[in-house]
Amino acid sequence: MRIKKGFILREVCGEHVIMGEGLGAVNFGRLLALNETAAWLWKQADTMGDFTVEKLAERLCEDYEVDNETAQNDVTAIVGQWQKEGVIE
């Protein structure tokens, strides 16, 4: 998986949001708010380029005190939401 071209993470009024730029803005037309963990995962995914749920969960376990099962479940839910919103491919 990877983040679709034209989608970026910004901080707006203290909130982390995904927004579209260029054609992404035309087709998306709204903001997607993220909590701190989801924003951190977005940054990791952006750095990785191609990513998997498993790789993001590994990074989550490395940087935060969370067990692998919890990390897998949380990342699966967040990535599933991104897929539903159409911001990753």
Side-chain angles (χ1 to χ4, degrees):
M1 290 176 274
R2 68 181 310 114
I3 295 171
K4 284 186 179 177
K5 190 173 186 151
F7 288 99
I8 57 167
L9 178 68
R10 294 269 192 241
E11 189 169 327
V12 177
C13 297
E15 296 289 325
H16 298 284
V17 295
I18 296 171
M19 58 189 347
E21 285 189 327
L23 291 178
V26 171
N27 295 329
F28 194 59
R30 64 186 191 285
L31 303 176
L32 178 61
L34 303 180
N35 65 23
E36 289 291 326
T37 303
W40 183 88
L41 288 168
W42 182 271
K43 291 174 188 174
Q44 298 304 307
D46 191 37
T47 300
M48 294 169 133
D50 289 320
F51 66 90
T52 63
V53 168
E54 293 76 21
K55 289 291 184 189
L56 285 176
E58 283 177 25
R59 288 218 180 155
L60 190 60
C61 289
E62 290 169 4
D63 284 18
Y64 293 92
E65 291 183 22
V66 61
D67 64 89
N68 188 52
E69 183 179 351
T70 301
Q72 288 278 340
N73 290 338
D74 290 351
V75 172
T76 297
I78 292 168
V79 169
Q81 183 65 34
W82 294 346
Q83 287 174 318
K84 179 181 171 191
E85 297 293 341
V87 296
I88 62 173
E89 52 192 5

